[in-house]
Amino acid sequence: MIKHLSAVAAAVLVWLGGTAAAQEGTGAPNFILRGDEIFEAYPAGAKAKGLEGEVTISCDGASRISNCALVSETPAGEGFGDAALAIARRYEAAPSSKGPPIYGQPRSITIPFTLPKARTVRAGGVEYVLPLPLEQPSMDALYAAWPRAARFTGTEGAAELWCVVALDGRLKDCTVGKERGRDHGFGAAALSLTPLFRYQPALRAGKPAVMSIPVRVDFVCDSWCRPFENSTVRAERRWLAAPTPQQVMAAYPPAALSRGIEGQVRLNCTVGKTGGLEACATVAESVPGEGFSAAAQQLGPLFHLAAPDPKASPGKVGVVVAFGPSPVVPAWLRGQRYTPVLDAAGAAVQGEARVKCRVAEQGGLEACEVLDPVDPVVRDEVLKRAAGLTAQLWTEEGRSTIGYVLEMRYTLDPSQQVALLGGEPKPPVVAPGVIDYRPLTGLSVPRDIARYYPDRAARMEVNGRVALECAGLVDGRPEGCKVVSESPLDYGFGDAALKLSGQFLGADETIDGASTHEPVPIPINFKTPR
């Protein structure tokens, strides 16, 4: 999807969708209206004329749809109706043979067909027109680039690339910046797609110019990469025991290992009375005939969950086992409830430190050390609390985390924030003659939002939503904010949002270091404090 946000004008968001990958999982696809599908289905004649349209269709069902029919299209005769129905067919589920459709009552779906528009900004007294996306990778190309192991398990990821848009509209000199799922190869996958993008080049004072921009590529599962039904173990049902990397390697089929073949297997198992996995059966394997299925079943008894309720019937759990060398990053860390620690003067101890630890066999952290010079009181308290953290032992992608060395930033305050560190690179230094565009980034959400919750709304347990628009950032803080919308009214959410706005922190949108002074939108959702 090529999407220009008011705050991040040059970011390109590519959402993966389609139909070809039903074999990747057993789950049914949910209908999600996405811009990349609209862009790909856009009628060529209408696009050439610069026409935009809107279509309403009626389908049975909610998240899973069937029996879609055209209700209206504007303008008529330009192909918008057929394009909308083609999008819907990718998600259609078979209707029930008995009575009404299996997915509920009819629903109306409106699909807008809009073309991207170039955005003009001013910085340093000069007018710029940002690059306008014209072509993007097809969904077939996106799917083919999706790393195979991640695709098999329905693992989602994203990569933000930094690229130069040349005068011919092509991307060049691309590097990977931020990356979600970096250990699964999403950054490299995104880089492989860059020859398929084309832009209308940037303008500086009305003349074509070369500009560096961020390009974001998102790999999101639904009908192209269906996650398995009930494939994950929820955090509240964490693993108490799981195979170690050494045990996985010992079970690795020797012939496949010697030829460098990697494989993934999805098992469905029964949870025994004591929490162990029993009667594991293979649901799917990525490379049949190489012995991975038997190897995964051999590892099944090494998994152990918390014992289920003895009165409940035996439950089923899905687990993926991956064979192949790959680093892993635990997806979450579980901590203790925060209790303040007071220093000798009776004040709460606050601070933060970078900590390196190893994941132990039971999921706890061991051999922890603080990497930065910090106050000794903070250091001792952070090490004490880090030792009380628990990492997941097995990832959703089928990897053991036992023995993995991780780095984290531990913040010692009422939020007790723990952030895993990955050493993501910073934006590159652009070459001479290239315009350096940086979008608005990093508007971090304040940790103490509960302090600003309106009293009456909190007492009545009412949630709220506010949209602010701020004149800009001063030293990273929003200034000149006003309420654009507020819901519900008369509970004080607007005033609370204005008080809260000064707590946000971000980096301004700039061109060659000069601010564009564009308005900054800030949506704030208030949820009842617990």
Side-chain angles (χ1 to χ4, degrees):
M1 176 173 77
I2 296 183
K3 182 176 181 180
H4 283 245
L5 305 176
S6 58
V8 191
V12 179
L13 304 177
V14 183
W15 296 89
L16 192 58
T19 56
Q23 72 276 12
E24 298 296 346
T26 58
N30 289 340
F31 178 77
I32 304 172
L33 186 59
R34 295 215 297 257
D36 61 335
E37 295 178 296
I38 296 174
F39 189 88
E40 186 167 330
Y42 213 107
K47 185 183 294 185
K49 298 176 185 177
L51 293 178
E52 297 186 340
E54 184 174 276
V55 177
T56 299
I57 60 176
S58 177
C59 304
D60 293 329
S63 59
R64 302 174 187 179
I65 60 176
S66 63
N67 300 329
C68 294
L70 179 65
V71 175
S72 65
E73 62 174 324
T74 305
E78 296 291 346
F80 289 115
D82 290 340
L85 289 174
I87 294 171
R89 288 190 194 103
R90 294 172 177 167
Y91 297 88
E92 283 196 338
S96 171
S97 60
K98 300 178 181 179
I102 57 176
Y103 293 122
Q105 299 301 315
R107 62 174 290 204
S108 179
I109 302 171
T110 298
I111 301 179
F113 288 83
T114 58
L115 295 170
K117 298 173 178 61
R119 179 165 170 256
T120 301
V121 296
R122 294 186 64 85
V126 179
E127 183 176 271
Y128 296 86
V129 178
L130 302 181
L132 175 68
L134 301 176
E135 295 178 8
Q136 66 179 44
S138 69
M139 291 193 293
D140 284 335
L142 285 163
Y143 176 72
W146 195 317
R148 182 174 180 178
R151 191 178 67 203
F152 175 81
T153 57
T155 301
E156 300 180 343
E160 183 182 86
L161 307 179
W162 284 93
C163 300
V164 172
V165 180
L167 292 179
D168 62 0
R170 299 295 180 181
L171 298 181
K172 67 175 188 177
D173 301 333
C174 293
T175 60
V176 179
K178 295 180 180 179
E179 187 175 356
R180 179 167 62 88
R182 60 186 176 278
D183 295 312
H184 301 289
F186 287 111
L191 282 174
S192 72
L193 296 168
T194 55
L196 303 179
F197 288 91
R198 188 170 68 87
Y199 289 78
Q200 177 179 294
L203 298 177
R204 182 185 188 276
K207 297 181 179 180
V210 179
M211 180 178 284
S212 171
I213 64 170
V215 178
R216 182 179 168 93
V217 182
D218 280 79
F219 297 88
V220 180
C221 279
D222 56 30
S223 56
W224 278 70
C225 173
R226 301 181 185 181
F228 289 107
E229 296 282 9
N230 304 318
S231 62
T232 60
V233 178
R234 299 189 304 272
E236 61 268 24
R237 294 186 61 198
R238 65 179 180 86
W239 297 112
L240 299 181
T244 65
Q246 294 76 17
Q247 289 170 324
V248 174
M249 285 301 298
Y252 208 125
L257 180 61
S258 65
R259 288 179 289 149
I261 297 176
E262 299 182 15
Q264 299 83 36
V265 178
R266 195 299 176 99
L267 301 175
N268 262 9
C269 308
T270 300
V271 183
K273 293 182 179 179
T274 62
L277 301 192
E278 304 171 352
C280 291
T282 297
V283 173
E285 58 180 327
S286 62
V287 187
E290 292 291 343
F292 290 116
S293 174
Q297 291 184 33
Q298 176 185 334
L299 294 169
L302 300 178
F303 290 95
H304 201 94
L305 289 164
D309 184 345
K311 297 180 180 179
S313 58
K316 291 281 188 178
V317 65
V319 57
V320 172
V321 180
F323 295 89
S326 175
V328 292
V329 175
W332 50 261
L333 291 167
R334 182 195 300 272
Q336 305 289 332
R337 185 175 180 85
Y338 179 81
T339 52
V341 175
L342 304 182
D343 60 18
V349 176
Q350 296 192 10
E352 69 175 27
R354 286 192 309 128
V355 185
K356 181 170 70 174
C357 301
R358 183 173 63 241
V359 180
E361 287 201 11
Q362 300 303 316
L365 302 187
E366 60 185 10
C368 294
E369 57 178 306
V370 172
L371 302 179
D372 300 323
V374 295
D375 181 272
V377 177
V378 173
R379 180 198 62 212
D380 293 345
E381 187 61 28
V382 166
L383 286 175
K384 175 183 174 183
R385 292 175 185 260
L389 294 174
T390 302
Q392 65 171 5
L393 291 177
W394 196 262
T395 70
E396 295 177 9
E397 299 79 35
R399 307 284 183 181
S400 175
T401 67
I402 297 171
Y404 178 77
V405 176
L406 58 87
E407 290 187 16
M408 60 186 173
R409 187 181 306 281
Y410 197 112
T411 302
L412 191 65
D413 64 18
S415 73
Q416 198 174 3
Q417 183 182 20
V418 181
L420 290 173
L421 301 179
E424 293 170 335
K426 296 180 180 179
V429 177
V430 302
V434 177
I435 300 171
D436 185 8
Y437 172 78
R438 304 287 175 95
L440 173 72
T441 57
L443 271 180
S444 58
V445 179
R447 300 187 190 122
D448 56 351
I449 188 170
R451 272 183 41 198
Y452 296 87
Y453 211 97
D455 291 339
R456 177 167 170 257
R459 289 195 307 272
M460 300 181 68
E461 297 187 352
V462 173
N463 298 331
R465 178 178 299 175
V466 178
L468 298 180
E469 184 177 88
C470 304
L473 301 180
V474 176
D475 295 329
R477 303 286 185 184
E479 294 284 347
C481 299
K482 62 181 180 181
V483 177
V484 177
S485 65
E486 174 185 0
S487 177
L489 297 173
D490 302 325
Y491 280 90
F493 286 114
D495 290 340
L498 288 173
K499 294 176 183 176
L500 181 64
S501 63
Q503 303 301 312
F504 284 84
L505 183 64
D508 208 354
E509 179 186 40
T510 62
I511 293 180
D512 287 339
S515 173
T516 63
H517 300 294
E518 289 289 300
V520 177
I522 303 180
I524 302 177
N525 291 326
F526 289 89
K527 293 186 177 180
T528 307
R530 299 296 182 186

